[in-house]
Amino acid sequence: MHNRTPHVLIVAWDGVRDDERAAAHTPHLDRLAAQGFLSPVRVHRKNATISGPVWTTVATGVHSDEHGVTDNDFRGHRMDRHPDFLSRIRSARPGATTFAAGEWAPLFTSDSGGPVFPDCGYRPPLGADESVSLEVIAAQDEATTGRCAMELLTRDHAAVFAYLVLPDMVGHNEGVTPRYRLAIESCDAQLGVLLAALEARPSRDAEDWTVIVATDHGHLDTGGHGGDSDAEREAWLAAAGPGIEASSGVGVDHADVAAHTLHALDLPVPDGWAGRPFGVRRTEASVQ
């Protein structure tokens, strides 16, 4: 039982290849990793290296064979049987609130068979796809960050999910270029804004915060993803918070984000989930 109130902040950076993340200037992510872990995550063989399947795994704690999302068209999903972790939080704790924000429509609206995160989202007002300028997409990410920072400062949500898409869009538009690395650094600057808002909360001294930052897949040098190359399948995950150590990232899977979010909030992890709270895989490996 916590003496302090637990909360979770999850920040999604779409399409950030691990080697480019390591080469970029990311002081806020580095500081978070130093307080917990930053570990490579290989996209599970059951998931294609596509945003839809992987972010749905992040949200539901199970892989494509169970949640039913195999590409970026979410129609035919089985999220009625495998709801997202924000919905689970609200169901388990009547009166609890959660918040999710980001540009990509299927995460937060009914577009393409969504939403992954129903009843709790904000989407910046400018619709975007890969034909919209990168400047507009950058502004949408900033709007997402600003809205989530406001929510962190003024509301008492149990969990907040912020989704940033600029690196993926740069990758699709021009490949892994200098601007791709700048997009990663933009995500880090926005992570800094979110962490500053968290620390400025009036009740911060009475709270325990778990912060998770993750990407879904990488990119080919020429741009694009969906295949089985290391450049596409190698992702990463960082986290810090109560009980999280450097070794907690051993063997982590995308499904573990949902599992650890529930665990951090003192909620049970459903039986049969692929996901495990951080650190459990290290323990399981040590006894095998």
Side-chain angles (χ1 to χ4, degrees), residues 2 4 6 8 39 59 78 89 100 159 169 174 179 206 226 239 248-249 267:
H2 285 271
R4 293 150 61 89
V8 184
S39 295
R78 295 189 290 274
I89 291 166
M169 290 303 193
E174 58 188 50
R179 185 149 58 163
S248 299
L267 298 174

Side-chain angles (χ1 to χ4, degrees), residues 151-196:
E151 296 288 327
L152 287 167
L153 283 167
T154 62
R155 300 286 301 279
D156 194 33
H157 299 300
V160 173
F161 178 87
Y163 169 83
L164 305 176
V165 72
L166 183 60
D168 189 57
M169 290 303 193
V170 174
H172 281 294
N173 275 268
E174 58 188 50
V176 178
T177 64
R179 185 149 58 163
Y180 179 79
R181 191 172 297 178
L182 288 174
I184 297 170
E185 294 174 354
S186 173
C187 285
D188 187 72
Q190 290 172 77
L191 174 62
V193 171
L194 294 170
L195 294 176

Side-chain angles (χ1 to χ4, degrees), residues 9-85:
L9 169 65
I10 305 98
V11 187
W13 298 6
D14 200 300
V16 176
R17 204 167 85 178
D18 191 43
D19 61 338
E20 288 293 309
R21 186 273 315 156
H25 179 63
T26 56
H28 302 292
L29 183 64
D30 295 345
R31 190 173 305 115
L32 183 77
Q35 296 167 353
F37 71 82
L38 194 159
S39 295
V41 180
R42 192 163 183 85
V43 177
H44 197 278
R45 58 181 173 76
K46 292 180 178 179
N47 285 355
T49 58
I50 300 171
S51 294
V54 181
W55 289 126
T56 307
T57 288
V58 167
T60 64
V62 298
H63 298 123
S64 285
D65 60 328
E66 295 188 69
H67 62 58
V69 178
T70 59
D71 56 28
N72 286 341
D73 187 335
F74 292 71
R75 285 170 288 195
H77 66 73
R78 295 189 290 274
M79 285 181 280
D80 55 339
R81 283 177 265 169
H82 303 284
D84 68 285
F85 58 77

